[in-house]
Amino acid sequence: MLQLRNVDVCYGSFKALTNVSMSVDSGELVVLLGANGAGKSSLFNAISGLNKPAAGEIEFEGKRLDGLKPSAIVSSGVVQCAEGRKLFPMMSVQQNLMMGAYVHRRDKAGNRQRLEEVLELYPILREKADQPAGSLSGGQQQMVAIGRALMSRPRLLMLDEPSLGLAPLIVRQMFETIQKINRLGTTVLLAEQNAFAALKIATRAYVMENGQLVMEGDRDTMLGNEEVRKAYIGA
Ligand code: ATP
């Protein structure tokens, strides 16, 4: 479904990604592990068109993404939920969610149905629909951010550190919902530092260090790998 071949990303003379090749198949939930500054956001921004690769190719469902505008990439079915939520705090929860429907703005019936699906996934957001997004708790704001991304109807949903700053119980519920989103048919690419919780719901994972992918394997291989456990799980 998604294929990256030998992708480099540079910020001026600094090379943030070097020769990154990876793939995500339809239906998978692929986790990207890596410490702070490893290059996970740089990779996501390259896929979603916010970073222009200095080299390499990015393909989605057989179509080249690199060189397309971010809005065209969203229209082709690849949607990023960025680190830090980036909601419109003064706008209501429902207005924030509907921002995600912008690419499908002509399909009003489809958007209503999609909103219903998002509110079924996150029932608390139905209760808070008219409240300013900025008044919600951190976990609820993260639900709005993921819900807004879902309103764009992704076939590939990229989640960048959704557990950042959330309490352990909330993190657990959030990972359960991400797994549910995947099982309902959306392919997921998830960048996380919360390695154990992320690996538990993953089908496959990559490890990134200093802008390079250094390891790849299915969930059980990664959970059983000594180096992964030492570096990312702490056991
Ligand atoms: P984090 O979890 O902290 O976001 P990350 O794995 O997502 O980390 P990136 O944000 O992709 O990592 O950063 C990779 C490297 O690129 C870091 O050394 C970072 O300082 C650098 N970097 C990121 N964005 C820029 C930028 N706009 N200009 C210059 N350097 C940048």
Side-chain angles (χ1 to χ4, degrees):
M1 186 184 221
L2 177 76
Q3 206 123 41
L4 278 77
R5 289 185 210 95
N6 312 108
V7 171
D8 289 354
V9 166
C10 300
Y11 301 111
S13 60
F14 175 72
K15 209 168 182 185
L17 294 183
T18 306
N19 208 25
V20 171
S21 296
M22 69 178 293
S23 64
V24 178
D25 291 334
S26 179
E28 281 196 301
L29 195 165
V30 173
V31 167
L32 179 63
L33 300 177
N36 254 334
K40 304 181 297 298
S41 301
S42 298
L43 177 64
F44 276 24
N45 289 340
I47 298 169
S48 60
L50 299 171
N51 281 338
K52 198 172 152 35
E57 292 175 6
I58 303 175
E59 221 175 74
F60 179 68
E61 295 177 335
K63 181 175 141 191
R64 281 287 285 272
L65 289 189
D66 49 290
L68 293 184
K69 283 193 290 190
S71 57
I73 293 175
V74 171
S75 296
S76 42
V78 178
V79 179
Q80 169 164 223
C81 181
E83 185 179 328
R85 302 169 202 145
K86 300 195 171 64
L87 300 181
F88 300 95
M90 307 301 279
M91 286 166 61
S92 74
V93 166
Q94 179 150 338
Q95 285 169 330
N96 270 275
L97 291 174
M98 290 312 290
M99 295 297 280
Y102 183 75
V103 282
H104 304 289
R105 59 196 173 280
R106 276 182 283 275
D107 179 15
K108 295 215 163 34
N111 289 335
R112 268 197 302 277
Q113 187 195 328
R114 189 71 179 180
L115 181 64
E116 213 26 60
E117 289 165 11
V118 169
L119 295 177
E120 267 170 41
L121 204 58
Y122 295 117
I124 186 74
L125 298 187
R126 195 188 297 276
E127 288 169 35
K128 309 263 177 189
D130 298 325
Q131 294 188 20
S135 70
L136 270 55
S137 71
Q140 291 164 353
Q141 291 194 26
Q142 187 61 57
M143 294 176 197
V144 179
I146 297 176
R148 180 179 57 186
L150 289 173
M151 288 302 296
S152 307
R153 307 184 204 176
R155 288 196 295 290
L156 173 67
L157 173 65
M158 298 195 292
L159 300 168
D160 195 356
E161 308 252 4
S163 77
L164 205 67
L166 303 181
L169 178 67
I170 309 292
V171 170
R172 207 173 71 206
Q173 291 166 349
M174 199 198 53
F175 280 110
E176 279 169 11
T177 314
I178 293 171
Q179 187 168 44
K180 190 166 171 191
I181 291 168
N182 177 245
R183 287 183 173 159
L184 287 170
T186 306
T187 305
V188 175
L189 178 57
L190 168 65
E192 262 299 334
Q193 293 193 42
N194 206 328
F196 187 58
L199 282 177
K200 277 203 301 196
I201 62 165
T203 44
R204 208 154 54 80
Y206 289 91
V207 176
M208 177 165 264
E209 282 175 10
N210 300 317
Q212 288 181 289
L213 293 177
V214 295
M215 211 184 289
E216 186 235 327
D218 64 28
R219 177 202 28 229
D220 293 340
T221 309
M222 294 305 245
L223 277 170
N225 184 288
E226 192 74 17
E227 279 175 61
V228 172
R229 294 185 76 87
K230 270 201 201 126
Y232 299 100
I233 302 178

